[in-house]
Amino acid sequence: MIKFTMAEDKQDLDDMPVCGYCGIEEVYMKDCDCSEEVMTYFDFKEKMVEETMGNKDEYDLILDGSRCWSSLK
């Protein structure tokens, strides 16, 4: 049995491909209609920091999926 550490799990998450607009993980399964570009989750988080200009509430809402849900309407 392989046991992963939290650092390894975090690295795997950061390398996961997501939609560059909403961050949805199912970008390759055509579950995202708003996909501008595919990027890693780490790059997506960095992009959101820049877009929200440090507004933690807005940043948290986006990472919690607010953009994704609005795109599914």
Side-chain angles (χ1 to χ4, degrees):
M1 175 187 264
I2 299 174
K3 184 175 181 179
F4 293 101
T5 64
M6 289 181 67
E8 290 171 334
D9 291 342
K10 183 176 180 349
Q11 183 64 37
D12 289 343
L13 182 64
D14 283 345
D15 291 337
M16 176 179 56
V18 298
C19 169
Y21 175 74
C22 69
I24 191 169
E25 300 163 13
E26 291 84 9
V27 68
Y28 288 120
M29 296 173 18
K30 304 294 184 205
D31 289 345
C32 177
D33 293 331
C34 62
S35 182
E36 297 173 351
E37 62 181 305
V38 176
M39 61 179 50
T40 65
Y41 186 63
F42 178 82
D43 291 337
F44 173 72
K45 292 187 296 183
E46 292 294 311
K47 179 181 173 184
M48 293 306 104
V49 167
E50 291 174 10
E51 282 188 25
T52 60
M53 297 185 330
N55 182 329
K56 183 159 174 38
D57 292 333
E58 186 178 352
Y59 174 82
D60 288 341
L61 280 174
I62 293 171
L63 289 186
D64 285 343
S66 69
R67 283 186 173 181
C68 178
W69 297 117
S70 64
S71 70
L72 296 177
K73 290 181 181 177

